[in-house]
Amino acid sequence: MRALPISLAVLLLLAPIAGAMSPAAVAGEVADPATATGSIAEETGSVAGGLDSTTDGDLDRPQVDSENLTFRTLSTPSGVDTRFGSGIRGANLGSSVEFAVDETDAAMETATVVQRIEAAETSAERQRRILAAINRVERDEVTLNSRQAEVFSAHADGNLSDRELLDELVRIAATAREYDARLEELDALAEETDGFSSPARLDELQVALQVYEGPVRDYVLSAARGEVSATEVYVESSEQSIVLATIVDGQYVREVSRLDRWDRGGAPIGNDEAINATSEAYPETASLREPDAFGAGSVQRITIPHEFGLLRTFVSGGTRQVFVEHQRIDLDAFPDTDPVTGNGDGFTVTVDRSYAGGPVTVTVRDEETGSPVPDVTVTKSVGDDDSQAIGTTDADGVVRTLSPAESYRVTVVDEPRAIFIDDLEPISTPRPVDDE
């Protein structure tokens, strides 16, 4: 086998790190983590947000009453012990280097596999090596699944910090992407081989690998490299589930994985069945736009790009349930909130509460004139913890944060004036119909 040239290996290692040093990747420039790797927008032909739900053949779809609109979302199972927290994720050279090394190792392994297949002296041997490589990815996917399950459990048990959890999930996603890319290479090699074509399980395996990716993981990777601005990331886990959420470029971004709803040995499921399962679980979102299905075997991927954002689900053939969910929702249209208002010291402060991990909007106005008050500091304290700055209000008097899973306080400070709203509680999570 011929090894990769040293120069190529060095370039593969350093390229991601270079992004962390780039002046062009400074604050204010936020990439779209959902489309950075094609994990969200592919197969739709559209960009999330700004879509007209009455176009492209959807003229007969019902108009939505925005006052009754909700965006249901998966969460950790009801009635189980959970662990939750949040923190700011930004540029981190140590994590960035580790991610780069992992990606380089995986890319070099793929290159070695391809070289070995191309070196086969007969068509029969070439076919054997292609099938062996697919078998290897199939075994590695099983290992990847066990690894992810262990990470969920370790965090829920308190054996992994939030940062360690996120870093490990990023590594798992990167590994899955490389396996997916390797399968693309193997598919192309199979097509070039006389009298041979890729087995159907290759397509099934590719869909299964996409289960390990997600828009928040993509954001954490970009943030570690310094490619996007630092922001808060919410984390919640149980023994068999994970919830990740953040706010990026005017959108609420969320991903959820529920292993208790995934039957890995389940029967195949067709496109229509998976679309129906998603539509019945998320009726309000499904009414906005015709769902798109892509999958094979026991896993189907359903995508609904709509005028307020995007919903992507993965449906298990064994349970006929959504077990992975990705959401992007425009903050200006986010409906699942409940306001609490307080007055004092010349301020009127409104806190639009949301569910645990959901987006919270704090609006500060002048108590007398009702005009927005910009450039005042807003802090948040959870339980008995110290206050942490959320940021300063913009020209509309608005600043946003993520809802904790327990009671919290919001404080507005413009020295010597200050007002706080205490005993804020998250609202109930609008769960899918089959998980209520």
Side-chain angles (χ1 to χ4, degrees), residues 79 98-99 136 242 262 334 340 391 421 427:
E98 290 176 2
F99 298 154
R136 173 64 185 274
I242 197 76
W262 186 10
F334 191 86
V340 174
I421 300 181
I427 66 175

Side-chain angles (χ1 to χ4, degrees), residues 15 33 44 92 94 127 155 171 208 261 281 339 358 361 417 435:
T44 69
N92 186 299
Q127 293 178 32
H155 182 267
R171 293 189 188 97
R261 294 165 65 99
T361 299
R417 300 186 298 164
D435 195 42

Side-chain angles (χ1 to χ4, degrees), residues 117-157:
I117 292 170
E118 291 177 335
E121 296 182 354
T122 66
S123 177
E125 178 60 19
R126 182 182 171 102
Q127 293 178 32
R128 188 191 69 77
R129 292 183 181 182
I130 291 173
L131 291 174
I134 295 173
N135 288 338
R136 173 64 185 274
V137 174
E138 199 164 28
R139 292 193 300 271
D140 288 342
E141 187 275 330
V142 173
T143 301
L144 207 61
N145 179 261
S146 298
R147 179 178 162 192
Q148 178 163 268
E150 290 170 1
V151 170
F152 290 1
S153 178
H155 182 267
D157 292 341

Side-chain angles (χ1 to χ4, degrees), residues 96-116:
S96 182
V97 169
E98 290 176 2
F99 298 154
V101 170
D102 290 343
E103 289 176 344
T104 301
D105 289 346
M108 291 179 70
E109 184 178 340
T110 295
T112 300
V113 168
V114 170
Q115 289 173 1
R116 185 169 185 275

Side-chain angles (χ1 to χ4, degrees), residues 384-408:
D384 296 327
D385 294 343
D386 294 335
S387 293
Q388 303 292 327
I390 295 171
T392 57
T393 54
D394 61 17
D396 296 319
V398 168
V399 67
R400 290 189 170 96
T401 185
L402 297 172
S403 175
E406 56 187 329
S407 179
Y408 61 103

Side-chain angles (χ1 to χ4, degrees), residues 185-246:
E185 295 269 12
L186 294 174
D187 187 35
L189 290 168
E191 292 300 318
E192 296 168 2
T193 304
D194 292 339
F196 187 62
S197 60
S198 300
R201 60 193 173 94
L202 186 146
D203 293 333
E204 299 175 19
L205 189 53
Q206 282 192 289
V207 178
L209 286 169
Q210 293 177 19
V211 165
Y212 303 101
E213 301 178 44
V216 180
R217 302 184 204 204
D218 289 344
Y219 164 76
V220 172
L221 174 61
S222 296
R225 290 174 171 169
E227 298 167 350
V228 297
S229 302
T231 195
E232 183 181 14
V233 177
Y234 174 86
V235 174
E236 182 175 347
S237 67
S238 73
E239 287 291 329
Q240 295 192 76
S241 65
I242 197 76
V243 176
L244 306 176
T246 191

